Amino acid sequence: MRGYREMFDESIHDPTTFWGEAAEAVTWTRKPQRILDDSNPPFYRWFPDGELNTCANALDRHVDGGRGDQAALIYDSPVTGSKRIYTYDELLDQTARFAGALRALGVARGDRVVIYMPMIPEAVIAMLACARLGAVHSVVFGGFAAHELATRIDDARPVVVVSASCGIEPTRTVEYKPMLDAALDMAEHPPRNCVIVQRDAHRCELNPNRDVDWNDLTGADPVDPEPVAATDPLYVLYTSGTTGKPKGIVRDNGGHAVALLWSMRNIYDIAPGEVFWAASDVGWVVGHSYIVYGPLMAGATTVLYEGKPIGTPDPGAFWRVVSEYGVKALFSAPTALRAIRKEDPAGTHIGRYDLSSMRYLFQAGERLDPDTFAWASEKLGIPVVDHWWQTETGWAIAANPMGVAPMPIKAGSPTVPMPGYDVRILHVDGSHCAPGEEGAICIGLPLPPGTLPTLWGDDDRYEASYLCEHPGYYLTGDGGYLDEDGYLFVMGRIDDVINVAGHRLSTGSIEAVLATHPAVAECAVIGVADEIKGQVPRGFVVLTAGTSEEGLAEELVQLVRDEIGAVACLKQVDIVPALPKTRSGKILRKTMRGIAHGKDEPVPSTIEDPAVLDALKSVLQD
Ligand code: COA
Ligand code: AMP
């Protein structure tokens, strides 16, 4: 087995050979003759003359290859008390029929379909059906409310929205339909039709002129996969940027298939027939890559878990699923481990199950703090593998390649850059940091296959957001350092993106909602540390003259919940006389963040009125 360094060096110095070989794992309808089109930097295209269908790679080829009877998808839902196993045969049949139904509703290659659904098999079927037609899906996380959904609908302009009557949280049933209806009222580009899955826990009213019951479509004729260009978009997934407007991350078909197949084998060490479980949600990139496309393209069995790490019914929930289905690799966010550990510090529940199938625990979504790493390593006795990535990249930038060249683990580090990611640490002026020196984590262009080629309909914003700060490099938005051994340490965002329970949120979008309240003259939202969730948002508002404070904080918390969704987790809003600003009027959020974290934050020389900051200190450290 060749070593990590040799493999990595080849990927950087001879990307054509490296990714050309990796592309052999894909079933192409037209094999690419060119590997990389670099004629139009900073825009790069992988496999520009290749053609394939992603759904055929995820389903048909495994059925053709004799895996029809193998479990493809295991649905396990402690919140509804249901379980169901779909074989590759069944998943293909239902997907091909739903693709037929979408086609009958007018969805064609290149059209968009928004999917706003809980963690039910129909969500996976809808995604794969879009891929089968060459249509572009855009999944919106179920924890987002009407306004966020409407923003995404208006940007994606879908022909159809696929949704469900409700989602089920441990303590309540979340009715999706009223949120969908409200979003469609707000949207300037509503779809022609909505397809709704009626769930037993709650059935909703359907609008006869627009809504179709999923069950009425299951008899549609199946359709064959439509070959698309490798560079055609497979999906758009919106993620939080630093402004209120989410960024539509575009994922292409060809590069995505090549990169995910490479990662399943080489990072996660998963072979066909093995069971892989990403305990995330299809609304996030982890769900796209490693609940749906990665494991299925690899011919593995994937687990779709509709439940929580704790409370459904207890902190042994993850271990129950691992033992019941023989999961080889579990992937979760550190916040889930912290929640489990808080309820079961001694790991008593771990001892209740046979976990002999589990070889690895992968972690991502936020930094795996050394304390949680030590706890999980000790209690499970297997490698606990941190890896770092983003919605933008779709797969790990830094990881430990367990399937090809396992490296010694260092606590607090997601290990080393993966093939194609030329990770560099830069100072503000663009010069390179020395080993151990912290700076902006950047990646030399081109990014490897599978990463974003652009933002949906907005090349300019793509360039401005990621490529202009340091020409020739992609700016990740994270800060950190490389140590003497080439291990990466990711220390946190250097912008206004926050990470709440492994969910990426923009403080800008929360501020935009607070600012709509007539009583709010000015506001700032920062992320503050939280024992379980890593970070939570905290709001500070200045009132318009003559407004009463009574009940306002609660009203603002509810407003954010109604507009963005419960997942924003804004629980605390403080009313303050003024916000600290520079003389040019910029709110000093970084300084506020530092003080809230108890740091001895230097007062910037550009501050307009130092007394405002002094007055805020006691509130911030409260
Ligand atoms: N649909 C509707 N509402 C949702 C939702 C969904 N899909 N997901 C979360 N919510 C709601 C929750 O019910 C909760 O509402 P509440 O304020 O009324 O209680 C709110 O959004 C916050 O949810 P969450 O962040 O999940 O917090 P929690 O306290 O319910 O659970 C954890 C805490 C740590 C157990 C949970 O956050 C968790 O499992 N995190 C892992 C996240 C993850 O896997 N991320 C993927 C990245 S790899
Ligand atoms: P998302 O786009 O939702 O996947 O969020 C990506 C962001 O989450 C990254 O830019 C990081 O800030 C953070 N993140 C994800 N994984 C890790 C990790 N393993 N270590 C540190 N931060 C992480």
Side-chain angles (χ1 to χ4, degrees):
M1 199 193 278
R2 62 182 180 158
Y4 159 75
R5 179 49 60 187
E6 200 187 328
M7 171 180 81
F8 178 77
D9 286 349
E10 188 199 0
S11 77
I12 299 299
H13 302 304
D14 188 4
T16 303
T17 303
F18 186 89
W19 294 113
E21 278 170 19
E24 297 289 336
V26 171
T27 300
W28 302 91
T29 48
R30 191 170 73 213
K31 206 174 158 189
Q33 301 305 308
R34 284 185 74 193
I35 303 302
L36 173 64
D37 175 2
D38 54 4
S39 60
N40 183 31
F43 295 88
Y44 297 88
R45 297 179 339 144
W46 288 96
F47 315 107
D49 57 357
E51 259 185 26
L52 75 163
N53 182 277
T54 295
C55 177
N57 272 275
L59 300 177
D60 304 60
R61 69 165 173 165
H62 304 309
V63 170
D64 295 345
R67 294 190 174 275
D69 291 337
Q70 182 199 303
L73 179 85
I74 296 171
Y75 168 58
D76 186 295
S77 169
V79 291
T80 59
S82 37
K83 295 175 187 177
R84 179 164 173 193
I85 296 181
Y86 292 73
T87 62
Y88 270 99
D89 271 339
E90 287 166 331
L91 197 57
L92 173 57
D93 179 63
Q94 296 203 19
T95 299
R97 286 182 192 284
F98 191 62
L102 286 177
R103 180 173 282 174
L105 291 172
V107 177
R109 178 175 169 182
D111 286 343
R112 272 80 57 215
V113 173
V114 163
I115 299 173
Y116 178 57
M117 292 178 98
M119 286 283 284
I120 55 177
E122 289 84 349
V124 178
I125 292 169
M127 291 166 77
L128 292 165
C130 291
R132 195 167 188 81
L133 294 174
V136 181
H137 61 68
S138 186
V139 182
V140 179
F141 176 60
F144 283 127
H147 178 263
E148 292 293 304
L149 177 58
T151 313
R152 286 155 173 80
I153 288 174
D154 275 339
D155 199 66
R157 303 188 182 191
V159 176
V160 168
V161 173
V162 186
S163 187
S165 54
C166 65
I168 297 155
E169 287 294 290
T171 52
R172 67 202 158 97
T173 299
V174 182
E175 291 186 28
Y176 277 33
K177 191 61 179 2
M179 287 193 275
L180 173 61
D181 288 340
L184 296 185
D185 284 345
M186 276 178 223
E188 284 172 21
H189 303 280
R192 280 201 292 271
N193 293 104
C194 297
V195 177
I196 310 290
V197 176
Q198 293 278 22
R199 304 191 74 188
D200 292 340
H202 166 78
R203 295 182 70 81
C204 61
E205 287 278 317
L206 298 184
N207 171 346
N209 299 320
R210 188 195 65 201
D211 302 338
V212 189
D213 187 325
W214 175 288
N215 278 335
D216 293 340
L217 300 175
T218 49
D221 287 335
V223 297
D224 287 334
E226 169 117 6
V228 298
T231 52
D232 277 353
L234 168 67
Y235 68 76
V236 177
L237 179 58
Y238 289 89
T239 190
S240 303
T242 48
T243 66
K245 189 174 183 283
K247 292 170 172 163
I249 305 300
V250 175
R251 190 82 57 222
D252 69 9
N253 278 273
H256 174 252
V258 172
L260 289 196
L261 277 166
W262 188 91
S263 72
M264 287 308 297
R265 175 64 87 178
N266 297 291
I267 297 178
Y268 301 106
D269 190 22
I270 292 293
E274 296 184 325
V275 185
F276 186 80
W277 176 25
S280 178
D281 188 290
V282 289
W284 306 113
V285 69
V286 175
H288 282 61
S289 294
Y290 295 114
I291 295 174
V292 184
Y293 291 110
L296 293 177
M297 285 197 285
T301 300
T302 187
V303 180
L304 183 77
Y305 173 72
E306 190 183 25
K308 302 265 173 178
I310 52 170
T312 58
D314 56 39
F318 274 16
W319 322 126
R320 194 257 313 155
V321 173
V322 168
S323 70
E324 199 165 323
Y325 305 113
V327 171
K328 179 176 177 186
L330 166 61
F331 177 166
S332 84
T335 188
L337 290 187
R338 290 195 296 269
I340 293 170
R341 178 187 180 185
K342 188 162 186 220
E343 292 206 353
D344 182 21
T348 312
H349 287 268
I350 296 175
R352 286 171 53 207
Y353 297 96
D354 172 6
L355 301 183
S356 54
S357 66
M358 185 160 65
R359 294 271 305 281
Y360 312 103
L361 174 63
F362 289 92
Q363 293 285 290
E366 54 174 320
R367 179 164 185 260
L368 174 59
D369 56 283
D371 204 28
T372 306
F373 165 77
W375 179 82
S377 305
E378 191 232 305
K379 297 291 178 231
L380 293 169
I382 54 171
V384 177
V385 185
D386 186 12
H387 60 326
W388 168 64
W389 50 299
Q390 313 183 306
T391 308
E392 286 84 345
T393 64
W395 65 288
I397 307 167
N400 197 330
M402 299 311 288
V404 60
M407 308 277 286
I409 293 175
K410 291 194 189 186
S413 166
T415 319
V416 285
M418 286 297 92
Y421 289 106
D422 187 9
V423 172
R424 303 293 170 125
I425 313 293
L426 302 183
H427 292 121
V428 178
D429 66 5
S431 58
H432 290 246
C433 295
E437 200 185 348
E438 221 174 299
I441 310 180
C442 298
I443 306 168
L445 297 177
L447 295 174
T451 56
L452 79 171
T454 189
L455 293 178
W456 181 250
D458 203 343
D459 287 350
D460 291 345
R461 190 174 178 204
Y462 168 62
E463 280 198 86
S465 306
Y466 303 106
L467 308 180
C468 286
E469 182 96 5
H470 297 295
Y473 294 91
Y474 164 87
L475 183 74
T476 65
D478 282 295
Y481 62 93
L482 285 161
D483 75 4
E484 297 281 352
D485 300 324
Y487 277 59
L488 183 67
F489 288 77
V490 182
M491 305 313 290
R493 297 288 304 195
I494 49 176
D495 56 16
D496 291 323
V497 167
I498 58 172
N499 211 299
V500 180
H503 306 143
R504 174 165 158 185
L505 296 169
S506 137
T507 52
S509 69
I510 303 175
E511 287 176 2
V513 171
L514 292 177
T516 60
H517 194 287
V520 173
E522 274 188 316
C523 62
V525 173
I526 58 170
V528 297
D530 181 84
E531 190 196 350
I532 299 292
K533 299 194 175 190
Q535 278 186 306
V536 287
R538 190 167 162 192
F540 299 87
V541 299
V542 178
L543 300 190
T544 45
T547 321
S548 157
E549 284 189 19
E550 209 184 313
L552 189 65
E554 294 75 20
E555 214 180 296
L556 291 170
V557 164
Q558 190 59 41
L559 181 68
V560 168
R561 201 176 159 89
D562 292 344
E563 292 287 306
I564 295 182
V567 72
C569 274
L570 179 73
K571 303 270 192 234
Q572 191 176 358
V573 176
D574 291 284
I575 295 160
V576 293
L579 292 169
K581 288 185 195 164
T582 61
R583 283 187 287 274
S584 61
K586 200 164 174 272
I587 297 173
L588 291 165
R589 292 182 181 78
K590 184 168 171 283
T591 312
M592 289 172 70
R593 266 199 311 265
I595 295 170
H597 287 122
K599 284 193 199 153
D600 195 11
E601 197 65 29
V603 178
S605 58
T606 52
I607 194 163
E608 186 188 36
D609 181 0
V612 172
L613 195 60
D614 288 340
L616 203 64
K617 271 187 183 159
S618 59
V619 183
L620 280 166
Q621 288 176 343
D622 175 16

